[in-house]
Amino acid sequence: MVTIGVYGFDGESFLQRLRHADVRLLLDVRQRRGVRGPEYAWANSRRLQAALAHAGIAYEHHLELAPTTELRRLQYAEDDRQGVGKRSRRELADEYTRRYTAEILDRADLAAIVSALPGSGTAALLCVERDAEACHRSLIARRLAEQHHVTIEHLRPL
């Protein structure tokens, strides 16, 4: 399994990165499936799903793995305290990590996701942050690696 964010890619380089990693299934773990800014219009749900379908990549939205609005606000408050923007964040706040794990991840049925992974190729966890360490997808990936022995690679823009 791989993880990938939106920031730092354009639509074509994003798809190229997925193809290079042999991604056959994209698991969207965003709550809000839109991205602000015209340079990221390609990542809005309908456009992204159409591009993935054209590329032969299946798409699933896993809202149950998305952080709640309250959790996102908690992270934004820590970003403000540290003077970093969402697009330049390098790591998650400890309290966000603790609460996301307890409120979302501990309740999620990751075994069902693992059992539905493609038999050939790989799957990708998608959110928006460039670096997985700054995103909840890293927490999902870590749990998959620890409890389900899934090998994880974090894709970044080249």
Side-chain angles (χ1 to χ4, degrees):
M1 178 174 278
V2 299
T3 79
I4 192 165
V6 168
Y7 296 148
F9 287 103
D10 60 32
E12 185 53 37
S13 65
F14 180 83
L15 290 173
Q16 285 175 352
R17 198 75 171 102
L18 292 179
R19 283 191 290 267
H20 184 263
D22 198 22
V23 170
R24 309 281 177 92
L25 171 64
L26 186 125
L27 307 170
D28 190 338
V29 295
R30 300 177 291 175
Q31 180 189 41
R32 294 171 36 241
R33 294 182 291 164
V35 183
R36 290 188 180 156
E39 71 271 31
Y40 295 113
W42 61 267
N44 293 328
S45 181
R46 288 189 182 152
R47 289 181 181 139
L48 177 61
Q49 288 182 61
L52 291 169
H54 185 71
I57 300 171
Y59 172 90
E60 294 178 5
H61 182 222
H62 284 273
L63 184 59
E64 77 278 10
L65 293 174
T68 62
T69 300
E70 180 185 353
L71 284 172
R72 285 196 335 273
R73 287 182 181 147
L74 176 76
Q75 181 62 55
Y76 298 156
E78 181 63 16
D79 292 345
D80 288 345
R81 192 184 71 73
Q82 292 186 12
V84 298
K86 179 179 180 182
R87 295 183 188 194
S88 59
R89 179 187 318 133
R90 293 283 183 216
E91 63 185 7
L92 294 170
D94 290 339
E95 182 66 4
Y96 174 92
T97 298
R98 185 190 69 71
R99 288 195 47 199
Y100 176 82
T101 300
E103 296 171 21
I104 307 290
L105 200 50
D106 287 347
R107 299 175 184 178
D109 183 6
L110 295 183
I113 291 172
V114 171
S115 67
L117 293 177
S120 62
T122 193
L125 291 171
L126 167 76
C127 199
V128 296
E129 287 80 4
R130 179 188 185 280
D131 298 318
E133 302 79 14
C135 178
H136 74 288
R137 71 180 187 272
S138 67
L139 304 175
I140 301 166
R142 184 178 325 141
R143 176 70 56 94
L144 287 167
E146 291 171 356
Q147 294 186 356
H148 299 279
H149 311 291
V150 174
T151 302
I152 305 292
E153 178 185 354
H154 301 294
L155 303 180
R156 290 178 172 82
L158 298 176

